[in-house]
């Protein structure tokens, strides 16, 4: 047994996801606050203008009010070492979110009690379900008018095809919100106005069988209604089964109010007990146990210019096994070279600090001189492994992007390349054309806006774009020489590694080109 087993065992790494405005940021802040990692939550400060979430650091995010990039935070709570991966809250950024989920062992989904499942949560939930990621649901804003809790859990079960297990049950909502019934303690925890704006006020606890006290605390009518509801719930809901929770088949559901510090402790305590320490990860060939002595990690996110003053580029890695030690040489599998990971750092909100060591389950950011790509493996030189790649979604919207100012050719090329390496866009060139014109492919149109704004703000470059009508991309797998192919209304492009791709405007064109060129083999984007 290695000496750092204990460190790995106490780690919990999860992603937090929600539709914008459901309260993800507020809940994250409260986690940090309860863990002692920050001294006051933004919401406690009161004024909306003062408040910007500690996890939002990009200019665009603040302006748009949406979280575009994912951030990572570490904090301690009750002996656990917790890594939270914040995910972008806009539906056009599902690819980035998807990658973030690949680095997490479980997901916490925040839902607005008045709204229920919204489009973004629907998508993200499906990704979790696809990968059997355990999902914990926090139904937020009970201090506001809310939908019927039975309706809400039924919606979750129907939409996602998994079971739910309410860990607690709300007593009223909005101005009539009286607290929750804790199904583990078989007691109620009362909510009062005193929770508003206060930090960590303990709720009054009362056993469900203590009728007189309950009548005093929540009222006779509410007590009777609650008892009926609990009976219904106990009879009708799924049985609690930790195995199902850990395989993403049963979602524990918590009701509360993040803004009013209600339900956070219950959530954290139960969540931390139910989730697992870092899970094993598959490589091409073997499964890597987090407790292995040898270090291994994969890159799931690359981000340039996080700090404008530094013009830096950071590769974020999830450590899958062993212990990371600063200054040690590791092996970068995709480059086939030993590397020293310089300036290894961890994030606490906007503060970054250089670290000397980190363990399986942790996320570290390392300085990237332009060598890393998403999905790359870094491991101990004496135990070479290669993690299964992170799937890339095929771009579906394409535009020709042409620089306007020939004096800024270098910046144009640098910016486009860096943003492409981050995986935010796919960049191609038409063989034979100069570098002042590139073809950009993205999954969602909003990424074009982000590209334009980042090129302007971070690289000082403006450009012109022309929409292209192509919607499908395929890589040429066979040795066929693209110059000799019979192509009709199809564009031949190359990526920076000179892989050949064809862009098509319809499935019909794909079939047509295959029929006209014997021996031509095409494969999906991202396939090896
Ligand atoms: P997000 O990250 O999921 O997008 O949501 P965020 O936490 O930013 O919360 C969105 C809005 O909902 C915020 O209000 C926040 O204060 C509010 N909110 C979060 N949790 C609760 C809750 O439990 N009850 C109530 N009533 N509101 C909640 P805002 O007006 O946009 O900002 P601010 O004025 O509060 O700063």
């Amino acid at each position: 047994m290695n000496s750092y087993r204990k460190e790995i065992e106490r780690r919990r790494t999860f992603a937090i996801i929600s539709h914008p405005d459901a309260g993800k940021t507020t809940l994250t802040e409260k986690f940090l606050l309860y863990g002692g990692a920050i001294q006051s939550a933004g919401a406690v400060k009161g004024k909306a203008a003062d408040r910007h979430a500690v996890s939002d650091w990009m200019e665009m995010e603040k302006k748009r009010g949406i979280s575009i990039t994912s951030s990572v935070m570490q904090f301690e709570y009750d002996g656990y070492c917790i890594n939270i991966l914040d995910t972008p809250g806009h539906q056009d950024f599902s690819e980035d979110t998807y990658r973030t989920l690949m680095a997490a062992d479980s997901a916490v989904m925040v839902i607005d009690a008045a709204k229920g499942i919204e489009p973004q949560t629907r998508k993200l939930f499906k990704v979790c379900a696809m990968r059997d990621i355990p999902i914990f649901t926090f139904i937020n804003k009970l201090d506001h008018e809310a939908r019927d809790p039975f309706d809400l859990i039924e919606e979750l079960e129907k939409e996602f095809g998994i079971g739910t297990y309410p860990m607690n049950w709300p007593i009223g909502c909005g101005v009539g919100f009286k607290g929750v019934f804790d199904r583990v303690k078989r007691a109620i925890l009362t909510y009062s106005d005193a929770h508003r704006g206060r930090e960590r006020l303990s709720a009054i606890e009362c056993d469900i069988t203590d009728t007189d006290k309950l009548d005093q605390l929540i009222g006779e009518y509410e007590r009777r209604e609650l008892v009926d509801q609990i009976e219904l719930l106990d009879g009708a809901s799924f049985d609690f089964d930790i195995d199902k929770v850990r395989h993403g088949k049963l979602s524990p559901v918590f009701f509360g109010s993040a803004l009013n510090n209600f339900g956070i402790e219950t959530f954290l305590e139960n969540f931390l007990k139910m989730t697992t320490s870092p899970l094993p990860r598959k490589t091409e060939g073997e499964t890597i146990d987090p407790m292995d002595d040898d270090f291994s990690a994969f890159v799931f996110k690359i981000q340039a210019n996080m700090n404008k003053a530094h013009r830096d580029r950071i590769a974020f890695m999830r450590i899958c096994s062993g212990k990371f030690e600063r200054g040690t040489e590791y092996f970068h599998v995709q480059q086939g070279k030993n590397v020293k990971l310089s300036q290894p750092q961890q994030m606490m909100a906007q503060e970054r600090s250089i670290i000397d060591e980190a363990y399986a389950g942790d996320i570290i950011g390392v300085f990237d001189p332009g060598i890393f790509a998403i999905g790359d493996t870094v491991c101990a030189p004496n135990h070479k492994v290669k993690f299964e790649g992170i799937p890339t979604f095929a771009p579906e919207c394409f535009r020709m992007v042409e620089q306007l100012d020939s004096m800024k050719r270098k910046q144009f090329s640098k910016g486009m390349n860096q943003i492409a390496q981050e995986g935010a866009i796919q960049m191609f060139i038409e063989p034979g054309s100069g570098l002042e014109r590139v073809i950009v492919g993205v999954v969602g149109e909003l990424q074009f806006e982000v590209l334009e704004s980042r090129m302007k703000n971070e690289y000082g470059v403006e450009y012109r774009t022309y929409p292209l009508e192509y919607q499908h991309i395929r890589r040429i797998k066979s040795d066929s020489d693209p110059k000799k192919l019979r192509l009709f209304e199809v564009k031949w492009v190359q990526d920076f590694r000179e892989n050949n791709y064809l862009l098509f405007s319809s499935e019909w064109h794909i079939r047509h080109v295959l029929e006209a060129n014997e021996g031509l083999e095409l494969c999906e984007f991202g396939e090896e």
Side-chain angles (χ1 to χ4, degrees):
M1 189 169 89
N2 58 43
S3 57
Y4 38 86
R5 194 179 186 99
K6 271 207 174 120
E7 277 303 328
I8 299 177
E9 257 164 13
R10 70 186 195 95
R11 270 153 168 83
R12 296 290 182 275
T13 304
F14 67 91
I16 183 159
I17 59 185
S18 79
H19 189 83
D21 264 355
K24 178 175 62 117
T25 313
T26 311
L27 188 63
T28 309
E29 274 183 345
K30 296 299 164 88
F31 290 162
L32 299 178
L33 189 71
Y34 282 32
I38 55 172
Q39 297 318 311
S40 71
V44 183
K45 279 190 244 150
K47 268 198 177 159
D50 285 350
R51 194 180 87 85
H52 63 88
V54 285
S55 58
D56 277 3
W57 58 46
M58 281 182 82
E59 216 37 45
M60 282 265 300
E61 294 183 346
K62 283 177 211 154
K63 269 198 227 141
R64 285 172 172 272
I66 55 172
S67 245
I68 294 175
T69 53
S70 317
S71 52
V72 187
M73 282 160 282
Q74 186 178 67
F75 71 99
E76 300 267 335
Y77 184 87
D78 202 18
Y80 292 95
C81 176
I82 301 171
N83 294 301
I84 303 189
L85 292 152
D86 190 12
T87 56
H90 195 283
Q91 55 187 6
D92 257 20
F93 290 84
S94 55
E95 187 160 1
D96 200 10
T97 306
Y98 186 86
R99 293 180 195 138
T100 301
L101 286 171
M102 300 284 288
D105 295 311
S106 63
V108 170
M109 180 165 60
V110 189
I111 286 181
D112 183 330
K115 297 194 176 135
I117 297 169
E118 296 176 85
Q120 178 68 356
T121 15
R122 188 172 291 126
K123 265 192 179 177
L124 293 171
F125 208 110
K126 289 216 160 119
V127 170
C128 294
M130 223 163 70
R131 289 203 48 227
D132 297 335
I133 298 177
I135 303 164
F136 296 81
T137 311
F138 187 89
I139 299 187
N140 191 28
K141 304 197 188 181
L142 261 298
D143 59 311
H144 268 190
E145 282 312 305
R147 282 175 48 189
D148 179 80
F150 283 108
D151 273 3
L152 287 167
I153 57 165
E154 194 182 307
E155 185 177 67
L156 282 172
E157 290 176 3
K158 262 205 186 140
E159 282 268 352
F160 304 132
I162 66 167
T164 59
Y165 186 87
M167 299 299 298
N168 61 14
W169 195 251
I171 309 166
C173 66
V175 283
F177 183 47
K178 298 278 168 56
V180 290
F181 167 68
D182 187 320
R183 289 181 80 196
V184 182
K185 294 182 175 158
R186 304 302 291 179
I188 68 155
L189 303 172
T190 59
Y191 171 83
S192 72
D193 275 352
H195 282 92
R196 286 177 205 278
R198 293 274 297 273
E199 290 158 32
R200 301 196 73 162
L201 179 82
S202 297
I204 298 173
E205 221 176 290
C206 172
D207 198 279
I208 190 77
T209 54
D210 191 345
T211 312
D212 291 345
K213 195 166 169 204
L214 278 182
D215 286 354
Q216 262 177 32
L217 286 169
I218 61 172
E220 189 187 338
Y221 175 79
E222 283 83 356
R223 193 251 310 156
R224 283 181 191 281
E225 203 178 54
L226 176 69
V227 170
D228 285 351
Q229 288 190 356
I230 300 300
E231 208 172 307
L232 192 63
L233 195 63
D234 287 345
S237 78
F238 286 83
D239 289 334
F240 185 78
D241 179 341
I242 191 71
D243 248 20
K244 283 193 179 151
V245 172
R246 291 187 177 157
H247 288 93
K249 302 291 177 229
L250 184 74
S251 177
V253 179
F254 300 80
F255 291 86
S257 168
L259 187 67
N260 298 304
N261 308 297
F262 192 78
I264 318 265
E265 274 158 325
T266 312
F267 176 81
L268 275 174
E269 277 157 23
N270 286 287
F271 169 73
L272 292 169
K273 265 188 238 145
M274 285 187 243
T275 48
T276 55
S277 51
L279 293 171
R281 299 265 158 175
K282 276 196 192 141
T283 63
E284 292 174 359
E286 59 181 314
T287 299
I288 296 291
D289 190 310
M291 299 298 174
D292 271 5
D293 280 338
D294 298 319
F295 167 82
S296 68
F298 69 89
V299 177
F300 68 96
K301 175 185 164 69
I302 292 175
Q303 197 175 331
N305 305 331
M306 269 189 7
N307 180 341
K308 259 195 138 178
H310 292 211
R311 290 239 152 234
D312 51 359
R313 200 176 126 106
I314 292 179
F316 290 90
M317 302 181 183
R318 146 96 195 205
I319 304 181
C320 299
S321 63
K323 177 183 181 184
F324 164 82
E325 277 172 291
R326 186 177 168 197
T328 306
E329 278 212 332
Y330 293 110
F331 183 69
H332 179 197
V333 175
Q334 277 69 12
Q335 279 220 327
K337 273 187 199 161
N338 277 4
V339 287
K340 260 208 185 116
L341 303 175
S342 59
Q343 299 168 30
Q345 49 198 287
Q346 271 177 346
M347 314 277 152
M348 213 326 285
Q350 272 156 322
E351 284 160 35
R352 301 191 222 161
S353 53
I354 299 285
I355 47 142
D356 291 321
E357 50 188 45
Y359 301 90
D362 285 346
I363 310 295
I364 53 169
V366 303
F367 173 73
D368 175 17
I371 59 170
F372 292 113
I374 290 175
D376 281 4
T377 300
V378 179
C379 59
N382 60 338
H383 185 180
K384 291 178 185 154
V385 293
K386 189 173 172 195
F387 288 103
E388 289 177 345
I390 298 183
T392 330
F393 292 85
E396 289 169 14
C397 321
F398 298 88
R399 282 194 200 182
M400 172 91 72
V401 175
E402 191 175 81
Q403 73 179 63
L404 284 174
D405 182 352
S406 59
M407 301 296 285
K408 292 195 170 166
R409 191 179 304 160
K410 256 196 175 162
Q411 288 98 309
F412 177 78
S413 176
K414 186 176 168 196
M416 296 299 288
N417 274 303
Q418 286 196 337
I419 296 173
Q421 264 173 307
E422 280 177 36
I425 58 162
Q426 303 294 334
M427 189 177 76
F428 306 94
I429 50 162
E430 273 185 279
S433 81
L435 281 178
E436 62 284 352
R437 260 172 33 148
V438 296
I439 289 174
V440 172
V442 297
V443 182
E445 285 280 341
L446 185 63
Q447 276 156 295
F448 283 128
E449 269 183 57
V450 175
L451 176 67
E452 195 173 336
S453 142
R454 289 193 55 188
M455 286 294 283
K456 198 168 159 193
N457 294 325
E458 293 168 27
Y459 302 91
V461 174
E462 290 187 58
Y463 56 69
R464 202 178 3 230
T465 70
Y466 306 93
L468 301 172
E469 81 276 26
Y470 308 106
Q471 285 166 11
H472 304 272
I473 180 165
R474 294 287 184 279
R475 189 165 70 79
I476 303 181
K477 201 175 175 184
S478 47
D479 296 332
S480 326
D481 178 357
K483 280 195 225 95
K484 295 194 182 136
L485 290 175
R486 300 178 63 207
L487 302 173
F488 319 90
E489 296 172 44
V490 172
K491 194 176 273 302
W492 165 37
V493 295
Q494 289 181 325
D495 66 8
F496 71 102
R497 291 198 174 110
E498 295 189 6
N499 289 314
N500 292 303
Y501 292 87
L502 298 177
L503 305 183
F504 303 89
S505 43
S506 74
E507 296 274 0
W508 182 87
H509 286 89
I510 303 177
R511 281 197 299 277
H512 192 59
V513 165
L514 281 170
E515 279 162 19
N517 296 282
E518 222 190 295
L520 173 67
E521 265 186 82
L522 299 177
C523 65
E524 298 282 339
F525 184 83
E527 249 177 50
E528 292 272 319

